[in-house]
Amino acid sequence: MNLKSMNYGYDFILGSVAAIYVFMVPYTKVEESFNVQAMHDILYHWHHLESYDHLEFPGVVPRTFIGSLLVSILASPIMLVVNLLHMPKIYGLIAVRLTLGCVVLSTLRFFRIQVRNKFGHQVEAFFVILTVLQFHFLFYCTRPLPNILALAAVNLAYGHWLKGNFYATLNFLIFATIIFRCDMVLLLGPLGLELLLTKSISLWKAFKCCFGTAILCIGLTILVDSIMWKKLVWPEFEVLWFNSVQNRSSEWGTHSFHWYFTSALPRSLLAAYPLFVLGVLLDRRVLSFVIPVFSFVLLYSKLPHKELRFIISSVPIFNLSAAVAASRIYMNRKKSFWKLINIILLGFLLISLGCTVITFMASYENYPSGNALKYLHRIGNYANSTEEQWVHIDPFSAMNGISRFCESDFPWRYSKEEGIPLKELFKRNFTYLINEHSTVDGYTCLFTIDGFSRIRLQTHFPPVILVKEPKVYIHGNTETKYLMHKNWPGCP
């Protein structure tokens, strides 16, 4: 197999796994809501800003439109076909997610090529193997989170870092920090400091180069986002102020200082977690790449609100270190001591595969309201209906799988109005309710959708099972006669 076909083979493997995740779990959660709704509005409303979702539901802090604009532009040829064929909007969501995945994986490809050039083909192969056997990286790479948009720029920074283009490395990190995720400054700082201490860059030249990039990025985000938000705004500065200065991110939950090292990284890296430590010991070249990224995670640990997605940018470098260790073990597998280590390595890889399958199965069941709306469209659609069918979506359902891409055309209409008391819903004359409550006055429960609850271990086969329970209830208005005459699945 020649080098070119190997490269495309790796791309095909990584892209195929990411695409499977998209098609099997197309829906999105609240963390992705801004960019998902923005992509929908850009593709369907174009310049009619008054129809954009973010003006009605602005969220806690503003986010940038630059990533959504870029992905929407790249996805527009596919969307043209979707619209010409009058396909449901959900195919638009799949299109933008696949497009985002292509962007992220193309930047990972650039990084992977630099890994091959610096550490060899075998390390590159193990890098791909480890990435495929990790659920979270390929699952997240198609999800329109600010962290993932930043990840694309960080991958390019990592690639230039390995290539020796240190000023380009800093520029890509500045771009990611100013436009997509202000917390990337926690990676920019340690990496820049290491480059200064090793005399890889000069302070004055770095200042001139980075200052110019910073000014251009600030100007770009203020120009674009002020137009879209209809006010003067630099989104990531407001995010920085909210999270760091006001320290209000903790309102969304807190974890202990060690959580990233004892929970998030083990779950995301799996077999690569112990291997990346071994890689640092086996190859001195790896240490200079791991230290700034490890420092990034360490600094991030000081913030009380923690989520795995916040540190997902660290995964490629940790995987590089792990791939170096796996390659060394494989090369020495015929030696007596290393033979045992090689067997342990194979065991770790199999455990990673098992954990990835289980996590995927749990994620498949983790978007109940998206499935609820899909089934409602399917079984609640009345032929030749001329009456509007209003669906009220409560905050829980809006956060767990429903976006504008899930909506259908007439006769369906939707409301996401918040703060309506349960007793007032009947007075609003909604046809259907999708919410987390099992009973609502004036409505009858038509069917429920189960969602993932927990994992249960047992002594017999299969050793691991997923426990599901009703998460979303679909109610029908009792005064809507044609609705009451239909044969619904019912509720437990």
Side-chain angles (χ1 to χ4, degrees):
M1 184 183 291
N2 60 42
L3 183 61
K4 192 171 183 180
S5 61
M6 277 178 59
N7 274 331
Y8 287 124
Y10 292 149
D11 294 332
F12 177 77
I13 292 169
L14 293 167
S16 296
V17 175
I20 289 171
Y21 292 151
V22 172
F23 284 105
M24 296 300 292
V25 191
Y27 305 111
T28 56
K29 289 230 174 192
V30 62
E31 298 87 354
E32 306 152 73
S33 61
F34 171 77
N35 283 306
V36 167
Q37 310 290 35
M39 290 174 188
H40 169 274
D41 293 341
I42 291 166
L43 291 168
Y44 286 95
H45 299 311
W46 293 85
H47 62 283
H48 301 290
L49 295 182
E50 67 279 359
S51 300
Y52 276 45
D53 184 86
H54 72 284
L55 297 178
E56 184 179 359
F57 302 99
V60 179
V61 288
R63 309 301 316 213
T64 183
F65 273 84
I66 292 175
S68 300
L69 279 167
L70 174 61
V71 174
S72 299
I73 290 169
L74 294 175
S76 57
I78 306 174
M79 288 302 302
L80 180 62
V81 175
V82 170
N83 292 330
L84 286 174
L85 296 177
H86 301 288
M87 299 169 71
K89 280 186 178 182
I90 190 65
Y91 289 98
L93 177 57
I94 291 172
V96 295
R97 286 192 56 196
L98 288 175
T99 302
L100 175 59
C102 287
V103 171
V104 174
L105 291 180
S106 65
T107 63
L108 186 70
R109 182 181 195 272
F110 174 72
F111 172 65
R112 196 191 74 233
I113 290 172
Q114 309 316 315
V115 169
R116 182 188 67 216
N117 293 341
K118 194 172 186 68
F119 294 94
H121 299 287
Q122 194 164 276
V123 172
E124 179 192 17
F126 274 107
F127 178 86
V128 173
I129 292 170
L130 290 168
T131 304
V132 167
L133 293 179
Q134 295 164 348
F135 171 76
H136 291 94
F137 189 88
L138 292 180
F139 184 75
Y140 270 97
C141 77
T142 64
R143 300 200 158 269
L145 294 156
N147 313 83
I148 300 305
L149 295 168
L151 174 62
V154 173
N155 284 337
L156 294 175
Y158 287 157
H160 283 288
W161 191 13
L162 265 66
K163 201 174 182 180
N165 298 335
F166 303 122
Y167 295 105
T169 300
L170 297 178
N171 283 332
F172 277 112
L173 288 178
I174 288 170
F175 177 80
T177 301
I178 290 175
I179 292 181
F180 296 124
R181 283 298 302 190
C182 60
D183 46 29
M184 286 297 104
V185 71
L186 300 177
L187 176 60
L188 175 63
L191 200 156
L193 181 61
E194 179 184 270
L195 294 178
L196 284 172
L197 294 176
T198 57
K199 298 183 179 179
S200 300
I201 59 173
S202 71
L203 180 60
W204 177 240
K205 187 176 180 182
F207 174 78
K208 290 193 297 182
C209 179
C210 296
F211 182 77
T213 301
I215 294 298
L216 287 174
C217 290
I218 292 171
L220 175 64
T221 185
I222 290 178
L223 174 64
V224 172
D225 294 311
S226 294
I227 293 172
M228 303 303 290
W229 284 96
K230 296 186 175 182
K231 63 179 181 179
L232 186 64
V233 62
W234 173 10
E236 280 311 296
F237 179 79
E238 294 202 17
V239 173
L240 178 67
W241 187 267
F242 181 87
N243 287 340
S244 301
V245 178
Q246 295 181 331
N247 196 26
R248 290 185 58 191
S249 63
S250 57
E251 295 173 10
W252 278 261
T254 61
H255 289 93
S256 57
F257 179 84
H258 58 77
W259 186 81
Y260 284 132
F261 298 100
T262 56
S263 180
L265 284 176
R267 284 185 290 118
S268 59
L269 296 177
L270 298 173
Y273 193 51
L275 286 172
F276 101 79
V277 178
L278 185 59
V280 172
L281 300 175
L282 294 175
D283 193 327
R284 292 181 180 178
R285 294 175 297 172
V286 173
L287 184 62
S288 60
F289 296 107
V290 169
I291 286 178
V293 177
F294 185 86
S295 301
F296 160 65
V297 179
L298 193 65
L299 289 170
Y300 222 137
S301 297
K302 290 184 69 64
L303 291 178
H305 179 57
K306 297 176 174 66
E307 294 186 40
L308 189 155
R309 61 189 172 96
F310 293 166
I311 60 162
I312 200 164
S313 296
S314 66
V315 171
I317 291 297
F318 290 143
N319 278 349
L320 164 60
S321 180
V324 168
S327 176
R328 184 70 64 88
I329 293 170
Y330 182 78
M331 284 191 299
N332 293 285
R333 67 190 182 281
K334 294 183 179 179
K335 297 177 183 178
S336 57
F337 172 75
W338 290 94
K339 189 178 293 184
L340 175 62
I341 304 298
N342 188 58
I343 294 172
I344 295 173
L345 170 63
L346 292 174
F348 277 157
L349 295 179
L350 287 174
I351 291 171
S352 290
L353 177 60
C355 291
T356 294
V357 170
I358 292 170
T359 310
F360 167 69
M361 291 169 61
S363 296
Y364 180 77
E365 304 289 350
N366 209 23
Y367 297 80
S369 52
N371 290 317
L373 188 57
K374 179 180 73 173
Y375 294 141
L376 179 60
H377 287 153
R378 182 183 301 169
I379 63 179
N381 191 22
Y382 293 89
N384 303 320
S385 174
T386 58
E387 294 184 23
E388 291 184 339
Q389 299 186 53
W390 276 92
V391 182
H392 180 262
I393 301 163
D394 76 341
F396 175 84
S397 301
M399 292 190 295
N400 287 280
I402 294 180
S403 68
R404 297 289 188 193
F405 279 108
C406 299
E407 298 176 354
S408 290
D409 296 327
F410 184 88
W412 297 99
R413 295 291 183 266
Y414 306 89
S415 167
K416 294 194 298 181
E417 184 179 346
E418 299 177 5
I420 304 177
L422 284 179
K423 294 181 179 180
E424 296 292 322
L425 288 170
F426 183 69
K427 297 178 182 179
R428 304 295 289 273
N429 205 32
F430 295 117
T431 315
Y432 299 101
L433 307 178
I434 300 180
N435 61 34
E436 60 179 322
H437 302 285
S438 58
T439 59
V440 180
D441 291 343
Y443 289 83
T444 184
C445 186
L446 305 176
F447 63 96
T448 64
I449 297 294
D450 291 343
F452 171 72
S453 177
R454 64 187 184 278
I455 292 175
R456 191 173 72 200
L457 303 178
Q458 54 187 19
T459 55
H460 54 278
F461 186 84
V464 178
I465 62 171
L466 303 181
V467 178
K468 298 186 292 182
E469 60 184 34
K471 292 286 186 178
V472 176
Y473 299 83
I474 296 78
H475 304 275
N477 193 314
T478 54
E479 292 190 353
T480 307
K481 293 182 179 179
Y482 65 83
L483 186 153
M484 290 296 101
H485 291 153
K486 190 175 180 68
N487 186 24
W488 296 93
C491 300

